[in-house]
Amino acid sequence: MQTLIAQSSFFEITILLCLAAGIGMLGLLLRQPLIVAFIAIGILSGPTAMDLVHSEEQINLLSELGIALLLFLVGIKLDLKLIKDIGVVSLATGLGQVFFTSAIGYGIGLMLGFDSVSSLYLGVALTFSSTIIIVKLLSDKREVDTLHGKIALGFLIVQDLVVVLAMIILASMAVGESGVSSKGMLSPMHSLYALIGLIVALAIFIRYVANPLTKTMARIPELLLIFSIAIATLMASVGKIIGLGMEVGGLLAGFALASTPYRETIATRLAPLRDFLLLFFFIGLGAQLHLSDLGANLTASLVFSLFVLIGNPLIVLLIMTKMNYRAKTGFLAGLTVAQISEFSLIFIAMGVSIGHIQPSVMGLVTLVGIVTIACSTYMISYSHQLYRFFEPVLLAIESRLMKKQAHIDSANLEANSPETVIFGLGRLGGYLLEQLHKNRSVMGIDLNPDEVLAMQDKGLNAVYGDVTDAEFTSELPLAQTQWVICTFPWHHTGLSFEDGRHALLQHLSQVGYQGKTIAVAHSQFDDERLKAAGFDYVIQPHTQSAGQIQIIISGNKEKLR
């Protein structure tokens, strides 16, 4: 077997792919994310286990293509128009989490006996969370559009920006003072000139070339895919030549196409290829690791893993609570950063290749990745159950840190009972509040302080409150209220349904509410659940929209009037 593998790269890769399929299936049965299976495959195929990797040149080529595409897809999400949409809380909490995690991680590294450079690498590596895992788990739970889901996605944008900065700084460190980089590329001054020229060229490309070129390529989807891979590898090569590194080059390539209307199509089509090629990054990584590297820093890896699993969520929780978000929102958002990502491994691998840190640090971070990714998968999946377990402690933190601002708490409740109360001030709820305000007494309630303040700035009656808080509901002036409307979605937790709308019905019954209730359903299954729960009216916007579209295309426009 070993002789055949050594003689044929094709046979070697075939064995590795079969191993990947088998380990991937095992990971699926154990409900582990694919990246955990990738790391396991890398270690198993390494020299101290099965010793399957002998075609280092071919494996490294595929690995470099995978990294270039990974960074390209990160860059293509960095549309500057999105930066303003992530919200103050995402920006402040994201930057705060990066700063405190890096600083505390650096201090832990020093206390564990690592030198200052290794400690700095470790501290920065611990700040990156896995976009793939977070988006996948939130999507599975249908929590992407919830308050904590939106804030978590904002974290990812902030972290992506930090990744860009970290990669650029690290690449600049690779340039020595002898006139060429440690990899034999351009001198520091020439690299700076080349970077300026590259930025100018990219600006011209984005302004005048990107849109018409991608529009032409998009006529044939396969050609658009080839073009995307070509520009990713071209820019990665240019980045490597001028001393910035192929990672930064890949990021800039993605950024060059981020403002085009085809970026989502490109990202969707390239994602499977990225995942396939990243397999070889982890295989190549495992080929350089010895099991002794993993065990050498077992105590340190446990300490860092506990910090990521507990410290990162706690940092987010404290920052968000201080910004006047409920402890539940901060806790649920914080759990999403309880793991390190593939970028952490790439970042450390760059440090090893430059010569700043020892390969044993790579083994340490790999073990931290295995532990935190596996544990955080379950933490996010059972986040609502965990919140209920820690609720007494979290509420104590909330009462101590949360600012009692009059403009967002129940002190603003009107003395007179409104005719209509709307729970949820998102796009639908906010628009409904604006329209009903014109001819009737109406109050809007939301858990997001930003949404409440935005409505109050328009002169509308908006109040900050949690629908699951029985005490808050009991204080609402509902004596003359005729309608209670719920516009927010439900959340699937994996084992049970955590639905604030059901809790609201229970609270309304307890306070003797006599009016009617309306809920907005987001699926047929949701529609049935809400009707069974006892709502008087259930509206399903997608079904009604489909009916109107059917009327329009049938030509019977009279029914729309």
Side-chain angles (χ1 to χ4, degrees):
M1 176 69 73
Q2 291 293 340
T3 302
L4 287 174
I5 292 176
Q7 291 177 348
S8 172
S9 297
F10 181 82
F11 188 73
E12 175 182 334
I13 291 177
T14 299
I15 295 297
L16 290 173
L17 290 176
C18 291
L19 179 64
I23 297 296
M25 177 62 72
L26 180 61
L28 178 65
L29 295 175
L30 295 176
R31 299 187 64 184
Q32 294 299 313
L34 194 58
I35 188 174
V36 173
F38 280 4
I39 294 173
I41 294 162
I43 296 172
L44 286 175
S45 61
T48 56
M50 302 176 69
D51 192 24
L52 297 177
V53 179
H54 299 280
S55 303
E56 288 86 0
E57 185 175 348
Q58 290 87 342
I59 297 294
N60 289 337
L61 172 61
L62 295 172
S63 172
E64 289 182 347
L65 285 172
I67 293 174
L69 286 183
L70 175 66
L71 275 297
F72 172 79
L73 292 179
V74 170
I76 208 170
K77 297 290 186 179
L78 294 180
D79 185 357
L80 290 178
K81 298 175 183 177
L82 295 177
I83 304 301
K84 64 179 181 180
D85 295 331
I86 65 175
V88 175
V89 61
S90 292
L91 182 61
T93 311
L95 291 177
Q97 181 262 324
V98 167
F99 173 78
F100 286 112
T101 298
S102 299
I104 298 174
Y106 175 77
I108 293 174
L110 292 178
M111 288 189 294
L112 291 174
F114 292 93
D115 61 80
S116 58
V117 175
S118 297
S119 297
L120 181 60
Y121 269 91
L122 287 167
V124 174
L126 298 181
T127 65
F128 305 140
S129 303
S130 177
T131 302
I132 298 172
I133 294 174
I134 294 174
V135 173
K136 177 69 166 61
L137 292 176
L138 289 179
S139 298
D140 289 345
K141 296 176 65 181
R142 303 185 185 182
E143 294 187 356
V144 172
D145 292 327
T146 61
L147 177 57
H148 68 271
K150 292 177 181 177
I151 293 173
L153 295 180
F155 290 166
L156 298 180
I157 295 177
V158 174
Q159 288 186 358
D160 288 343
L161 294 174
V162 174
V163 166
V164 175
L165 181 61
M167 294 293 186
I168 292 175
I169 292 175
L170 195 56
S172 66
M173 288 181 178
V175 180
E177 297 179 357
S178 61
V180 295
S181 73
S182 59
K183 296 182 180 180
M185 303 305 172
L186 299 181
S187 66
M189 188 58 65
H190 288 151
S191 293
L192 178 60
Y193 293 152
L195 176 60
I196 295 174
L198 184 61
I199 292 175
V200 172
L202 280 178
I204 296 173
F205 178 84
I206 293 172
R207 179 67 179 84
Y208 298 104
V209 181
N211 281 342
L213 183 59
T214 53
K215 182 178 180 180
T216 301
M217 296 287 184
R219 296 176 183 174
I220 305 177
E222 293 80 2
L223 184 59
L224 181 63
L225 183 66
I226 294 172
F227 166 72
S228 302
I229 298 173
I231 193 170
T233 54
L234 173 63
M235 289 298 297
S237 300
V238 172
K240 192 172 184 178
I241 292 173
I242 68 176
L244 289 176
M246 59 179 296
E247 296 83 3
V248 176
L251 278 165
L252 293 176
F255 186 73
L257 300 182
S259 60
T260 67
Y262 304 99
R263 65 178 196 153
E264 294 298 335
T265 301
I266 294 171
T268 301
R269 285 179 170 271
L270 283 181
L273 179 60
R274 171 205 61 192
D275 293 340
F276 171 74
L277 292 174
L278 277 181
L279 167 65
F280 295 97
F281 167 76
F282 290 106
I283 290 175
L285 185 63
Q288 302 172 29
L289 286 176
H290 294 267
L291 292 179
S292 58
D293 291 334
L294 298 178
N297 294 303
L298 193 59
T299 301
S301 65
L302 178 61
V303 173
F304 280 117
S305 296
L306 289 175
F307 170 60
V308 173
L309 291 169
I310 300 173
N312 273 359
L314 186 59
I315 289 171
V316 171
L317 169 67
L318 294 176
I319 294 175
M320 289 186 61
T321 305
K322 197 67 177 176
M323 296 182 68
N324 227 44
Y325 282 80
R326 299 298 297 266
K328 183 176 183 179
T329 304
F331 179 79
L332 296 177
L335 288 183
T336 62
V337 296
Q339 85 286 127
I340 63 173
S341 76
E342 60 277 7
F343 286 113
S344 304
L345 299 174
I346 293 173
F347 181 77
I348 294 296
M350 288 180 66
V352 173
S353 66
I354 294 171
H356 287 172
I357 53 179
Q358 298 298 317
S360 60
V361 178
M362 185 77 236
L364 165 63
V365 175
T366 300
L367 190 54
V368 172
I370 294 172
V371 173
T372 59
I373 291 171
C375 291
S376 68
T377 299
Y378 292 101
M379 291 169 66
I380 297 174
S381 297
Y382 303 108
S383 57
H384 294 277
Q385 290 90 330
L386 285 173
Y387 171 76
R388 284 194 290 268
F389 182 80
F390 292 109
E391 187 173 15
V393 176
L394 295 172
L395 292 180
I397 294 174
E398 176 184 294
S399 63
R400 190 173 184 85
L401 293 181
M402 194 171 180
K403 301 174 186 176
K404 300 300 181 183
Q405 298 180 7
H407 58 278
I408 58 172
D409 65 17
S410 58
N412 265 6
L413 296 177
E414 290 184 337
N416 297 324
S417 177
E419 297 177 65
T420 304
V421 176
I422 303 171
F423 285 90
L425 297 178
R427 285 177 295 181
L428 175 58
Y431 179 77
L432 190 59
L433 178 63
E434 292 184 46
Q435 297 302 310
L436 292 179
H437 175 73
K438 298 175 181 178
N439 51 29
R440 64 191 297 128
S441 174
V442 60
M443 173 193 295
I445 300 172
D446 201 285
L447 186 60
N448 187 343
D450 294 335
E451 299 284 3
V452 173
L453 294 176
M455 293 295 106
Q456 290 182 351
D457 288 342
K458 296 179 181 180
L460 303 174
N461 181 21
V463 175
Y464 173 80
D466 186 354
V467 68
T468 63
D469 187 346
E471 182 179 354
F472 170 78
T473 308
S474 67
E475 295 176 354
L476 291 173
L478 301 176
Q480 304 300 321
T481 301
Q482 302 171 10
W483 297 97
V484 168
I485 305 172
C486 295
T487 66
F488 53 88
W490 62 281
H491 317 308
H492 182 238
T493 63
L495 291 179
S496 61
F497 290 98
E498 178 75 18
D499 199 333
R501 297 169 301 184
H502 290 189
L504 176 61
L505 282 181
Q506 295 174 3
H507 298 159
L508 291 175
S509 176
Q510 291 170 3
V511 299
Y513 172 68
Q514 299 297 318
K516 298 293 186 179
T517 55
I518 302 175
V520 177
H522 297 266
S523 67
Q524 183 60 39
F525 180 61
D526 196 22
D527 182 277
E528 295 171 358
R529 289 185 63 250
L530 291 172
K531 289 177 180 177
F535 279 93
D536 297 303
Y537 300 93
V538 178
I539 308 300
Q540 195 172 345
H542 299 299
T543 301
Q544 293 186 344
S545 298
Q548 290 191 335
I549 293 173
Q550 185 177 3
I551 292 172
I552 292 173
I553 63 177
S554 66
N556 192 357
K557 298 182 180 179
E558 291 295 327
K559 292 185 178 181
L560 292 175
R561 297 178 181 177

